[in-house]
Amino acid sequence: MRFIFVHGTGVRRERYDRLSALITTALAKRFPDASFVPCYWGGTHGATLSAGGRSIPGIDGTRAADGGPVAGPPDQEAAEWLLLLTDPLCELRVLAELPEDEDDGLGMPGVRSAGEMVAGLLTALSTELPSAEPPPAALPAAELPSSDELFVLLRTTGLDTHYGPALTEVAGSAEFGEACAVALDVPASREVATAASRAVVAAALAAAGEDALCTGDERDRLVDLVAGRLGGTGRVPGGRAAAVLGTLALRMTTQPVLDLWRGPITRNNVPKLGDILRYQARGGPLRDHLAELITGDADPAGPAEPTVLIGHSLGGIALVDLYALAAMEQSPLPKPELLVTVGSQAPFLHELGALTGLPPTATALPPGFPRWLNIYDRKDLLAYRAEPVFADDPRVVDYEVSSRQPFPVSHGAYWKLDAVYDRIAEEIEAPR
């Protein structure tokens, strides 16, 4: 018996050596006379950045992989708006919690405070919603009717259907009501108007998601227009809410982090993601390498001793592809005793029609395909079941294990589980 272990995506020499030693030791306990054939493909067939990452925007201005200096300051505006998209009411919540303005004693019974005036104006806006009728087809924004700039801009940014619900959400929120209640003078009420207008636009943008077609300039103009209806201004530099949330946004939101670390993040993930993309586009050389390794120096009929192939993750995809293609093309590739995939995406790719070796509609594997044991852990988000996909094929068997680890640790924890090796041994020794 000989075993060939085909590693998965992102594995390079040092990690392969550790995995190979671990797997070889565990299998040798169950098959003392077995031989083990190394199959490290990450160096030759793995992905690299051929131009050194020059395609990455800002590669020269992001933080170096060694934590070196930053070329430019983080984008606080983008961070603040990401925080608003996540929680449109966050600025109003801050204003509601700030100390109440002192009463100057000039208030008169029955006269609304400045904050209450803002509350009334925002409620009234819900009666001025844009028409549900679409704008004239094929007209650029400059040629749309300009009787109301706000409504025209809502249409051209794709926010017109989300504006009304956003108004209702903000006007009815406890945060807005409490912020208005403590805004007794005009300066404080203008600050509430600004925060409320930003909340309305943020809620509309969040609801629209990727359907929104809105630049930063258009967003700011929308804020200005809504705030103008509330008796405020669109942007209040140095406002109390901004002072509280500005630094917090930089620390808590992901955009500054992504801007700062985009270069190192991309480079460090090239082996994991790049190997998959490279295989999907140019998987032939890797499959040829596997075929040569499996055939070895034996005659075309195949090696004398039975072979067990074990593929992890992308390694399993390549093995399934290889034998599906060989079976369909009736090539003389030696048939293994058993094909084992562990934490593999092959069944999922087949459902997508993205598995090279099989037609998308196939519910059974072609004649000549080997017995297939598919091992998965449901906590591993990169592991999929094969039996339900190939329900008409008795050669396909799923086996579930559990490392009791969350993803992504679960994706590499298989090799420390005795259940994995015991099930492989059981399938090899099963009578046929």
Side-chain angles (χ1 to χ4, degrees), residues 138 142 164 290 296 359:
L290 295 178

Side-chain angles (χ1 to χ4, degrees), residues 256-349:
V257 175
L258 292 176
D259 290 344
L260 196 62
W261 292 95
R262 181 171 181 176
I265 287 172
T266 304
R267 282 194 175 116
N268 292 341
N269 282 280
V270 161
K272 296 178 183 177
L273 299 178
D275 284 357
I276 297 172
L277 296 174
R278 181 185 177 110
Y279 176 79
Q280 289 298 102
R282 296 180 175 84
L286 174 56
R287 290 191 295 271
D288 292 343
H289 171 69
L290 295 178
E292 292 174 4
L293 192 67
I294 292 167
T295 303
D297 297 327
D299 60 65
E305 59 180 336
T307 299
V308 175
L309 302 172
I310 303 175
H312 181 222
S313 192
L314 180 56
I317 295 173
L319 288 171
V320 171
D321 264 342
L322 175 66
Y323 274 92
L325 288 168
M328 294 182 67
E329 297 170 358
Q330 299 183 345
S331 66
L333 186 66
K335 186 176 179 180
E337 180 79 5
L338 179 66
L339 169 60
V340 183
T341 57
V342 180
S344 178
Q345 305 87 51
F348 180 64
L349 290 182

Side-chain angles (χ1 to χ4, degrees), residues 178-419:
E178 293 168 4
C180 289
V182 298
L184 302 180
D185 60 20
V186 172
S189 71
R190 287 177 176 170
E191 192 172 15
V192 171
T194 298
S197 63
R198 284 160 64 90
V200 169
V201 175
L205 283 168
E210 294 183 2
D211 291 335
L213 299 171
C214 186
T215 66
D217 289 342
E218 291 173 320
R219 175 200 66 203
D220 292 344
R221 185 57 183 157
L222 284 170
V223 172
D224 286 341
L225 293 169
V226 174
R229 282 165 157 78
L230 301 181
T233 58
R235 281 151 281 179
V236 183
R240 293 177 295 171
V244 172
L245 293 175
T247 302
L248 180 64
L250 285 173
R251 292 180 177 178
M252 292 188 63
T253 60
T254 57
Q255 190 62 54
V257 175
L258 292 176
D259 290 344
L260 196 62
W261 292 95
R262 181 171 181 176
I265 287 172
T266 304
R267 282 194 175 116
N268 292 341
N269 282 280
V270 161
K272 296 178 183 177
L273 299 178
D275 284 357
I276 297 172
L277 296 174
R278 181 185 177 110
Y279 176 79
Q280 289 298 102
R282 296 180 175 84
L286 174 56
R287 290 191 295 271
D288 292 343
H289 171 69
L290 295 178
E292 292 174 4
L293 192 67
I294 292 167
T295 303
D297 297 327
D299 60 65
E305 59 180 336
T307 299
V308 175
L309 302 172
I310 303 175
H312 181 222
S313 192
L314 180 56
I317 295 173
L319 288 171
V320 171
D321 264 342
L322 175 66
Y323 274 92
L325 288 168
M328 294 182 67
E329 297 170 358
Q330 299 183 345
S331 66
L333 186 66
K335 186 176 179 180
E337 180 79 5
L338 179 66
L339 169 60
V340 183
T341 57
V342 180
S344 178
Q345 305 87 51
F348 180 64
L349 290 182
H350 176 57
E351 282 201 84
L352 293 176
L355 200 62
T356 305
L358 289 174
T361 57
T363 59
L365 296 159
F369 194 91
R371 289 188 301 134
W372 178 9
L373 171 63
N374 180 62
I375 299 176
Y376 71 96
D377 182 341
R378 67 180 60 228
K379 293 295 191 295
D380 176 10
L381 302 185
L382 294 177
Y384 293 86
R385 298 188 302 166
E387 260 188 81
V389 177
F390 301 100
D392 299 335
D393 200 321
R395 292 169 294 178
V396 183
V397 177
D398 282 336
Y399 183 67
E400 182 178 356
V401 298
S402 175
S403 66
R404 299 177 49 245
Q405 285 280 31
F407 182 80
V409 179
S410 55
H411 189 57
Y414 295 97
W415 312 116
K416 301 298 287 290
L417 300 177
D418 285 338

